[in-house]
Amino acid sequence: MKSAVSYLFSLIVSVMLVFTLIGAVGSLTANININEDKFHTLAADNDLSGKTRAQLDKYFSSRYNSTGIPADVYMDAIDEAYLDRVINEYIDSGFNALRTGNDISVNVSNKKLEGSIDQFFVESADSANAKIDDRFEQKLDAAKESAYAVIMEYCDAYKFNSLKKHGVLDKLTPLFNRLDLIVIAFTVASALLMLLLLVINIKSKPVTMFWIGVSSLITGIIAGVPSGFLLATRYFERFTIKQPQVYTAYTSVMKQYTNAFLSAAICGAAAGICFIIVYRTVISKNKTVAPTRV
Amino acid sequence: MAKKENGGILPHIAAPFLVFGICAGILTVALIKPYDKLKVYANLAFMDRVQTDPDNPSGLVIRDNDIITAYSGKTSSEGEVIRPKFGELYAILSSPALDLDVPVYWGSNDELLEHGACQSSGSVVVGEKGRSVISAHVDTFFADLGNLKEGDEVTVSTNYGRFTYKVSRLISFPSTDRQYVAHSDMTSLTLYTCKRDLFGSSEMRIGVICEPVKKAFYTDAKEADK
């Protein structure tokens, strides 16, 4: 009867341990992988600036019929170094907004671009013998504003602006700022539950190893199987995100996080199997330690 | 002896399966709501805003105005509304029960619904006497409309004033039923969206009727300009 009670309690604590271990692995993986440095690296590795430039070229070319401004006017002044700077500023500003709740603010000014647009407008006015008056200046300013608005939209590959505008970043701020605390809380909770398992099985201590092993194994399976499925079926590649740079930005972060989570899950499962094997070895060597009986 | 050994080993063999079954069950149930929420956030993040611009051949001009949400100047219970143009962002709808601050565009079509909630141009501008009707997609901006309860406060902030309402009724009606969206002389605010349906779009609409509680027209032009 006592064995049945200890078995039942061990089972309940093991279930709880699975959740705290999943929480610890998930929050630790997020803590390591969701930060400015990782996003900067991913942006560089996946050539986000190159993809953004190609999309801007496509956009400005498609606008030629309605604006009369050739894409070259813009694209000659927009190089990948400039786009890299703006993309990285968006990442920094986005994470700053996530931490502090401040607005997203990015400096997209580009003297070369403004000069190129100025030159095109002046040359067009000259060739058409048009007056350079207030209306001309207004159109010139509108063209520059519009160009900057499009650049900002395309360079915000992680869509921080949309997330901020709709209050999503603000909702995530408390969670993000407490990520360290969450990792510690889950780790401490896991340690306490392991101690509790030891207390429950105090009369046959090696059984604790079995239950910890079971929890680790199940954590590995529950965390690893969905992650493995996502990666094996190339699930993220099915996303229908229209802008390639946004698609690349999101899918690369998701793949990186899923890979890290899967690695941690495999380690957890392997540790669980080791615990169970050690437990079996110990009880087979030491016959005085009886397995839990119901 | 063999019986005794089975009594010890079988529970150990069963243990991983039991733990797995219990955990998988709990996780499945627990993750339904976060999954829905994540889907809404993803839908909002991936909206293609550049697709709709002033030179779009569709002719729709979408104006994303900055809306005053933190006004500290003088207010009055009476004042003038600013009539928006079709496709103009003219208000922000918020409520403690709604997860998001919802941008409200004047007029309604598929493209505008991608950007926010839409107010039917056949209804009255918020702040005027009569019925104002605002709708949005259930998978984006009005994902949490069903969370509103009777007595909840709903605020509509515009550039000419801030209008507070109280939810007076929860409603459910077929899409062909016009009783909650048609013109009315009584001042009220109708918020509605599609009813969630596992098998595609639903013919039913759900929403709330809100009664006005407070009108605060901005009278301090300097504060309003900030």
Side-chain angles (χ1 to χ4, degrees):
Chain A
M1 184 63 189
K2 272 185 181 176
S3 298
V5 171
S6 72
Y7 182 87
L8 192 65
F9 276 113
S10 298
L11 186 73
I12 293 166
V13 174
S14 290
V15 168
M16 290 162 73
L17 184 57
V18 169
F19 289 113
T20 56
L21 285 174
I22 289 175
V25 170
S27 53
L28 185 65
T29 313
N31 209 12
I32 293 168
N33 287 287
I34 301 180
N35 57 54
E36 293 95 322
D37 293 340
K38 290 281 179 188
F39 277 45
H40 286 315
T41 309
L42 283 174
D45 290 349
N46 291 288
D47 188 28
L48 283 195
S49 55
K51 289 185 171 75
T52 306
R53 194 173 187 282
Q55 285 304 300
L56 283 170
D57 192 11
K58 202 169 147 188
Y59 176 78
F60 287 125
S61 300
S62 71
R63 289 280 306 273
Y64 174 68
N65 287 336
S66 54
T67 63
I69 306 173
D72 292 349
V73 172
Y74 302 102
M75 297 315 297
D76 286 350
I78 299 173
D79 54 25
E80 287 189 18
Y82 164 70
L83 293 175
D84 263 332
R85 177 178 71 75
V86 180
I87 289 169
N88 285 332
E89 272 197 39
Y90 256 115
I91 292 170
D92 291 337
S93 185
F95 273 98
N96 183 47
L98 188 56
R99 284 197 185 91
T100 61
N102 290 343
D103 285 336
I104 290 170
S105 140
V106 172
N107 174 20
V108 285
S109 68
N110 181 339
K111 294 286 173 207
K112 198 176 164 188
L113 175 65
E114 290 181 29
S116 179
I117 298 172
D118 281 339
Q119 191 187 348
F120 172 77
F121 268 69
V122 170
E123 283 173 5
S124 299
D126 280 348
S127 62
N129 288 324
K131 274 197 301 183
I132 296 180
D133 53 10
D134 285 351
R135 199 161 162 274
F136 173 88
E137 293 293 344
Q138 277 174 6
K139 280 199 159 186
L140 179 61
D141 288 344
K144 287 178 192 172
E145 271 180 34
S146 168
Y148 280 138
V150 173
I151 291 168
M152 285 167 79
E153 173 69 32
Y154 276 92
C155 287
D156 186 11
Y158 294 98
K159 293 288 181 183
F160 284 116
N161 249 334
S162 282
L163 294 170
K164 175 71 185 172
K165 193 170 180 180
H166 300 304
V168 178
L169 286 190
D170 295 334
K171 301 264 175 214
L172 294 174
T173 295
L175 192 70
F176 191 74
N177 283 337
R178 293 188 184 103
L179 210 47
D180 286 334
L181 206 64
I182 292 168
V183 174
I184 293 168
F186 274 122
T187 310
V188 170
S190 300
L192 288 175
L193 287 171
M194 286 177 196
L195 273 176
L196 190 58
L197 277 173
L198 184 66
V199 172
I200 291 168
N201 297 289
I202 194 78
K203 285 184 180 168
S204 78
K205 292 187 188 81
V207 180
T208 309
M209 253 192 304
F210 169 76
W211 287 108
I212 291 173
V214 166
S215 293
S216 300
L217 177 65
I218 301 304
T219 301
I221 292 169
I222 285 180
V225 170
S227 307
F229 172 80
L230 292 177
L231 293 173
T233 58
R234 299 182 172 185
Y235 184 83
F236 300 127
E237 289 173 23
R238 296 181 206 163
F239 282 13
T240 50
I241 303 171
K242 291 164 192 163
Q243 296 179 34
Q245 74 278 18
V246 179
Y247 171 87
T248 307
Y250 269 88
T251 52
S252 61
V253 167
M254 285 167 180
K255 274 183 198 163
Q256 163 136 338
Y257 185 82
T258 312
N259 267 322
F261 198 60
L262 178 63
S263 307
I266 290 169
C267 291
I273 291 167
C274 290
F275 271 115
I276 293 169
I277 290 169
V278 170
Y279 163 71
R280 288 303 302 175
T281 314
V282 168
I283 60 159
S284 60
K285 277 187 181 172
N286 184 2
K287 293 288 182 188
T288 57
V289 178
T292 316
R293 278 181 287 148
V294 183
Chain B
M1 183 67 190
K3 200 177 174 183
K4 196 176 176 184
E5 197 158 297
N6 278 345
I9 289 172
L10 277 178
H12 283 72
I13 294 170
F17 295 100
L18 279 172
V19 173
F20 177 77
I22 295 166
C23 291
I26 294 172
L27 268 180
T28 307
V29 173
L31 286 178
I32 290 172
K33 206 170 177 188
Y35 173 75
D36 271 352
K37 188 70 70 189
L38 198 67
K39 217 165 70 175
V40 169
Y41 290 169
N43 284 341
L44 292 172
F46 295 149
M47 279 174 186
D48 192 350
R49 297 185 161 271
V50 177
Q51 204 183 29
T52 49
D53 63 82
D55 298 313
N56 193 299
S58 72
L60 175 65
V61 179
I62 296 175
R63 292 181 184 83
D64 282 324
N65 299 327
D66 288 328
I67 304 295
I68 301 160
T69 49
Y71 175 85
S72 55
K74 288 178 184 169
T75 59
S76 160
S77 60
E78 294 300 324
E80 290 285 315
V81 302
I82 301 171
R83 188 160 290 281
K85 290 178 180 165
F86 194 96
E88 189 174 355
L89 171 60
Y90 96 105
I92 299 287
L93 178 85
S94 56
S95 167
L98 293 174
D99 191 40
L100 305 163
D101 291 335
V102 181
V104 181
Y105 289 82
W106 181 252
S108 181
N109 69 11
D110 289 346
E111 212 164 339
L112 284 172
L113 282 165
E114 288 284 300
H115 287 244
C118 290
Q119 177 166 354
S120 161
S121 50
S123 66
V124 303
V125 177
V126 172
E128 282 188 330
K129 189 176 176 236
R131 177 184 279 158
S132 304
V133 180
I134 298 173
S135 60
H137 283 316
V138 71
D139 59 347
T140 53
F141 295 95
F142 274 178
D144 292 308
L145 191 66
N147 291 348
L148 285 175
K149 299 185 297 294
E150 284 182 26
D152 279 350
E153 198 172 87
V154 172
T155 306
V156 182
S157 302
T158 68
N159 281 345
Y160 52 86
R162 186 177 171 87
F163 305 91
T164 309
Y165 296 83
K166 194 175 77 180
V167 175
S168 60
R169 262 176 83 192
L170 308 183
I171 53 171
S172 173
F173 57 99
S175 59
T176 49
D177 184 351
R178 313 293 300 162
Q179 65 168 314
Y180 298 114
V181 297
H183 174 77
S184 166
D185 289 335
M186 291 285 288
T187 301
S188 66
L189 173 67
T190 301
L191 307 175
Y192 76 92
T193 187
C194 290
K195 190 174 181 184
R196 276 186 196 277
D197 195 329
L198 284 173
F199 307 105
S201 60
S202 166
E203 290 305 309
M204 288 302 288
R205 303 286 179 264
I206 56 159
V208 293
I209 305 283
C210 307
E211 286 173 357
V213 174
K214 190 182 171 191
K215 284 183 183 181
F217 284 94
Y218 303 151
T219 56
D220 196 338
K222 280 183 186 171
E223 281 294 321
D225 286 342
K226 275 182 186 174

